[in-house]
């Protein structure tokens, strides 16, 4: 008489093998590799923070040194406090041309960022919410414009400004900065996410025109996106160097970036320019920090809204 046979349970009812544990907890495979552990991630973030902060610390310490201390002390070593003397020399050098550079940078970046952000927001809203012929083609061209590096456009812009007799004028630098394909792309994304079509239709039924709808309804809804584009525009224009270098020859029209660069080229022959370059660079950083601190709530909410939508 043969022994009874047993059949294995179905695959669906089989229990998975128990996870192997060690006296200290789960096995090393379940915890991940050492390169993805929390300590390694924190170490990488710390190195990135130091990489970003140390140049600013060096800038602050170096701006307080005199000409002799700048060459006689190490990078982060403090010396006799001479910041006020450096500021006095900075604003007195070459008949106060640094004041012209501050004025020009504020005009280029301040007015240009506001007008440029408004133009980009209006264009993005039109592409997203208005139905007109060639809308898809226009958006495709805008995306293609994002891929074009700004340096590749410097020579065509110079030839165009030369034909219009705008070279070595304020407008040669100011006008090209009012357009930004990436800003239009961001505005289109924000308009799709933040402006309901039903609200626009209700405004049109009430007799409102398209310009009034954009200024009174769509723009307030897109305010976080507008501030985000404004900050991107401000930083881009404030740090702009190559376009003024191509367009301008008059030192009184230089922005701070180009003017400080001109002084830096003289520093190897004239060491007294070193404290001026460092102090001017410190002043050039302050408006960027101020803009991010003042507008951080708006642009952070704008970035998070764009990522979620």
């Amino acid at each position: 008489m043969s022994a009874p046979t047993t059949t294995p349970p179905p695959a669906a009812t089989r229990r998975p093998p128990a996870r192997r544990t060690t006296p200290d907890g789960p096995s090393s495979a379940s915890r991940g590799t050492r390169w993805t552990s929390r300590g390694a991630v924190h170490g990488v973030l710390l190195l990135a923070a130091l990489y970003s902060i140390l140049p600013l610390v060096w800038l602050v310490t170096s701006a307080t040194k005199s000409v002799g201390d700048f060459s006689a002390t190490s990078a982060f070593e403090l010396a006799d406090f001479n910041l006020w003397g450096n500021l006095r020399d900075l604003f007195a050098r070459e008949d106060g041309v640094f004041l012209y550079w501050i004025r020009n940078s504020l005009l280029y970046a301040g007015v240009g960022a506001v007008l440029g952000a408004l133009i980009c927001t209006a264009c993005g809203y039109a592409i997203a919410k208005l139905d007109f012929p060639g809308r898809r083609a226009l958006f495709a061209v805008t995306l293609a414009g994002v891929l074009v590096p700004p340096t590749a456009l410097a020579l065509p812009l110079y030839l165009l400004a030369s034909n219009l007799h705008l070279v070595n004028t304020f407008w040669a630098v100011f006008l090209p900065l009012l357009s930004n394909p990436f800003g239009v792309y961001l505005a289109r994304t924000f308009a799709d996410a933040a402006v309901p079509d039903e609200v626009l239709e209700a405004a049109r039924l009430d007799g409102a025109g398209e310009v009034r709808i954009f200024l009174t309804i769509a723009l307030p809804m897109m305010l976080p996106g507008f501030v985000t584009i404004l900050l991107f525009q401000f930083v881009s224009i404030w740090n702009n160097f190559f376009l003024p270098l191509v367009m301008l020859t008059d030192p009184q029209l230089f922005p701070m970036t180009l003017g400080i660069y001109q002084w830096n080229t003289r520093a190897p022959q004239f060491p007294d320019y070193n404290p001026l370059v460092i102090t001017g660079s410190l002043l050039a950083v302050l408006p960027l920090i101020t803009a991010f601190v003042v507008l951080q709530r708006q642009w952070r909410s704008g970035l998070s809204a764009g990522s979620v939508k």
Side-chain angles (χ1 to χ4, degrees):
M1 195 171 178
S2 60
T5 59
T6 60
T7 59
T13 60
R14 293 177 185 174
R15 294 181 178 180
R19 179 180 296 179
R20 293 180 298 174
T21 59
T22 61
D24 296 331
S27 63
S28 59
S30 63
R31 289 180 299 181
T33 63
R34 59 179 179 177
W35 299 109
T36 58
S37 63
R38 180 175 298 180
V41 172
H42 288 176
V44 172
L45 293 177
L46 178 61
L47 291 177
L50 291 176
Y51 179 80
S52 303
I53 294 175
L54 286 181
L56 184 60
V57 175
W58 174 84
L59 195 64
V60 173
T61 57
S62 298
T64 62
K65 300 178 182 179
S66 61
V67 178
D69 292 334
F70 183 80
S71 57
T73 57
S74 59
F76 300 100
E77 182 180 356
L78 295 176
D80 294 335
F81 191 82
N82 195 51
L83 178 61
W84 309 124
N86 291 338
L87 289 173
R88 183 178 61 253
D89 296 339
L90 177 68
F91 292 114
R93 181 60 60 99
E94 299 181 11
D95 298 327
V97 71
F98 192 78
L99 292 174
Y100 290 98
W101 297 347
I102 295 177
R103 179 204 63 185
N104 297 334
S105 293
L106 291 176
L107 288 176
Y108 292 140
V111 181
V114 173
L115 292 180
L118 186 60
I119 292 173
C120 292
T121 305
C123 293
Y125 164 79
I127 294 175
K129 295 300 178 179
L130 300 183
D131 189 11
F132 57 90
R135 183 178 64 169
R136 295 183 180 273
L138 180 60
F139 184 63
V141 173
T142 302
L143 291 179
V146 176
L147 304 177
V148 178
T151 53
L153 301 176
L155 182 58
L157 288 175
Y158 175 81
L159 296 177
L160 180 61
S162 178
N163 292 331
L164 297 175
H165 304 287
L166 295 178
V167 175
N168 199 30
T169 65
F170 171 84
W171 304 106
V173 177
F174 181 76
L175 292 178
L177 300 175
L178 298 180
S179 62
N180 184 4
F182 183 68
V184 176
Y185 169 74
L186 283 181
R188 192 253 186 188
T189 303
F190 278 107
D192 271 337
V195 182
D197 293 333
E198 295 80 6
V199 176
L200 302 180
E201 291 297 331
R204 294 188 182 102
L205 291 176
D206 289 339
E210 294 296 338
V211 176
R212 182 181 178 184
I213 291 174
F214 169 72
L215 294 178
T216 61
I217 298 176
L219 187 58
M221 291 181 175
M222 298 173 61
L223 185 59
F226 174 80
V227 174
T228 304
I229 298 170
L230 175 67
L231 277 176
F232 284 161
Q233 282 281 97
F234 184 82
V235 174
S236 177
I237 298 174
W238 187 270
N239 294 329
N240 190 22
F241 169 77
F242 194 69
L243 184 63
L245 178 65
V246 172
M247 294 291 188
L248 302 177
T249 57
D250 185 2
Q252 293 190 358
L253 294 175
F254 287 175
M256 295 176 68
T257 52
L258 182 57
I260 293 173
Y261 168 78
Q262 294 285 348
W263 280 359
N264 189 49
T265 58
R266 305 174 191 174
Q269 289 79 25
F270 305 98
D272 57 320
Y273 275 98
N274 282 319
L276 303 183
V277 171
I278 298 301
T279 308
S281 301
L282 178 61
L283 294 182
V285 172
L286 296 180
L288 298 177
I289 298 176
T290 304
F292 273 90
V293 171
V294 172
L295 301 175
Q296 65 173 341
R297 178 176 298 179
Q298 289 289 342
W299 74 266
R300 287 177 63 183
S301 62
L303 287 179
S304 61
S307 62
V308 171
K309 298 295 184 181

